[in-house]
């Protein structure tokens, strides 16, 4: 009995690995097929990051503009926002694209993991993000004279991985809404500006007004960004680091289970109604 269970688990892991490999290969092939797309991502993203950082600095005295702690926190806040957005929108937007080109029903006929098959662009996007982060660091140094440093690389990687898992779970819930309501434009803005805006990604929790800071403290993205900033700049966290790691790990697992379950329920309902490929 135990041997059968071990064989079952090994087959499941093997299938998951093959699904991840196939989805990643597809995403890389599509992404690098268009060189102009890669160049525009690398050039444009650091510039809009800079355009967002400067208005935030306008609320500070001029002498704070070259404060290394403030600039580094804003830089890592922007990088974190970019990483989370990639994972958060990827599943929903992939479902939308497959709906538009008429191939979504064929994908749902497979028994592959739903999050894996709709996350094909995550790796290619992370590759472009690495180049963007390097380019943005050069721009930050040129404009503000601040070097971007990392104090705890293992913790930074762990925090980003857990944050991405949490975001992909939330992205699966968003993908389920895409399947359900077909036109998710308003929902995209709600997720973008409420989930990420009401967190400590760019603004410290103490800077929010009294009623709003409650949302900041209960938002898991606040603790995720806290860990990223702490690992990179030794930023003061809201809770002890170990507590925030446990909270983020729990949020990642919970959101992943919730996302898969929600996506499965909506998929089954659409299959019964024959509206799976309708958009």
């Amino acid at each position: 009995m135990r041997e059968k269970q071990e064989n079952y688990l090994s087959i499941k892991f093997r299938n998951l690995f093959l699904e991840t490999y196939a989805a990643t290969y597809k995403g890389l092939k599509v992404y690098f097929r268009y060189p102009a797309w890669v160049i525009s991502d690398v050039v444009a993203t650091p510039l809009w990051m800079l355009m967002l950082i400067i208005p935030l600095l306008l609320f500070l005295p001029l002498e704070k503009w070259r404060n290394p702690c403030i600039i580094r926190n804003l830089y890592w806040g922007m990088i974190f926002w970019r990483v989370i957005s990639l994972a958060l929108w990827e599943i929903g937007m992939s479902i939308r694209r497959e709906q538009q080109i008429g191939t979504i029903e064929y994908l749902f006929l497979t028994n592959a993991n739903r999050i894996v098959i709709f996350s094909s662009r995550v790796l290619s996007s992370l590759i472009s993000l690495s180049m963007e982060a390097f380019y943005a660091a050069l721009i930050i140094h040129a404009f503000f004279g601040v070097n971007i440093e990392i104090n705890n690389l293992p913790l930074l990687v762990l925090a980003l991985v857990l944050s991405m898992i949490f975001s992909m779970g939330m992205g699966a819930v968003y993908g389920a809404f895409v399947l359900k309501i077909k036109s998710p434009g308003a929902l995209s803005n709600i997720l973008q500006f409420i989930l990420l805006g009401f967190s400590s990604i760019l603004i410290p929790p103490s800077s929010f007004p009294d009623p709003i800071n409650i949302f900041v403290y209960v938002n898991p993205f606040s603790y995720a960004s806290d860990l990223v900033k702490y690992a990179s700049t030794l930023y003061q966290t809201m809770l002890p680091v170990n507590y925030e790691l446990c909270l983020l790990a729990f949020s990642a697992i919970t959101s992943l289970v919730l996302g898969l379950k929600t996506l499965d329920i909506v998929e089954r309902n659409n299959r019964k109604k024959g509206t799976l490929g309708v958009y």
Side-chain angles (χ1 to χ4, degrees):
M1 183 68 179
R2 185 176 179 180
E3 186 177 345
K4 288 183 178 179
Q5 187 176 9
E6 289 176 354
N7 289 337
Y8 173 76
L9 290 175
S10 65
I11 292 172
K12 289 287 287 184
F13 279 120
R14 177 177 174 275
N15 290 342
L16 184 61
F17 172 78
L18 291 175
E19 292 165 9
T20 305
Y21 172 78
T24 301
Y25 181 79
K26 173 197 169 188
L28 289 173
K29 290 286 286 185
V30 172
Y31 183 70
F32 288 105
R33 185 183 298 166
Y34 308 103
W37 191 356
V38 179
I39 295 171
S40 65
D41 277 353
V42 173
V43 173
T45 302
L47 293 179
W48 71 250
M49 287 172 56
L50 185 65
M51 291 301 101
L52 287 175
I53 288 176
I54 290 177
L56 290 171
L57 291 175
L58 291 176
F59 291 92
L60 298 174
L62 190 60
E63 60 269 16
K64 297 284 188 180
W65 280 44
R66 292 184 179 271
N67 186 309
C69 183
I70 293 175
I71 299 299
R72 286 169 186 160
N73 282 334
L74 286 174
Y75 170 84
W76 284 108
M78 290 294 177
I79 295 297
F80 179 79
W81 189 306
R82 178 82 169 119
V83 170
I84 296 310
S85 295
L86 288 175
L88 196 60
W89 310 139
E90 180 59 34
I91 295 176
M93 293 307 176
S94 293
I95 290 176
R96 187 68 173 163
R97 284 193 297 269
E98 300 297 343
Q99 283 178 332
Q100 290 172 337
I101 63 179
T103 56
I104 190 168
E105 290 177 307
Y106 299 102
L107 289 175
F108 275 118
L109 285 173
T110 69
N111 60 352
N113 184 287
R114 297 307 186 230
I115 290 182
V116 170
I117 61 176
F118 290 116
S119 303
S120 58
R121 275 201 62 215
V122 169
L123 182 60
S124 58
S125 298
L126 287 177
I127 293 173
S128 68
L129 178 61
S130 301
M131 296 185 288
E132 294 163 9
F134 177 74
Y135 176 35
L138 294 179
I139 292 179
I140 292 293
H141 178 74
F143 273 79
F144 305 107
V146 175
N147 293 322
I148 303 301
E149 300 174 353
I150 299 175
N151 288 288
N152 191 334
L153 183 59
L155 180 61
L156 177 64
V157 173
L158 177 61
L160 287 174
V161 169
L162 289 175
S163 300
M164 282 198 66
I165 294 173
F166 172 65
S167 300
M168 290 177 72
M170 297 297 294
V173 176
Y174 171 67
F177 278 102
V178 172
L179 278 176
K180 180 69 177 177
I181 63 180
K182 312 299 180 185
S183 181
L187 184 62
S188 300
N189 291 328
I190 291 172
L191 287 173
Q192 178 80 26
F193 294 106
I194 293 183
L195 285 181
L196 298 182
F198 289 154
S199 68
S200 63
I201 293 177
L202 297 176
I203 304 173
S206 57
S207 299
F208 284 90
D210 198 17
I212 298 177
N213 60 10
I214 297 174
F215 295 100
V216 178
Y217 284 111
V218 299
N219 188 346
F221 284 113
S222 295
Y223 302 101
S225 64
D226 244 17
L227 288 170
V228 170
K229 291 179 182 179
Y230 173 80
S232 54
T233 66
L234 296 180
Y235 176 83
Q236 181 64 44
T237 56
M238 294 185 291
L239 297 176
V241 175
N242 291 336
Y243 290 178
E244 291 197 349
L245 268 176
C246 293
L247 183 61
L248 181 57
F250 175 77
S251 300
I253 295 171
T254 304
S255 71
L256 206 58
V257 173
L258 177 65
L260 283 170
K261 189 66 177 177
T262 306
L263 198 56
D264 181 62
I265 291 172
V266 175
E267 178 190 343
R268 289 176 183 274
N269 289 337
N270 279 358
R271 283 178 184 271
K272 290 177 183 178
K273 297 177 182 178
T275 57
L276 194 59
V278 177
Y279 72 95

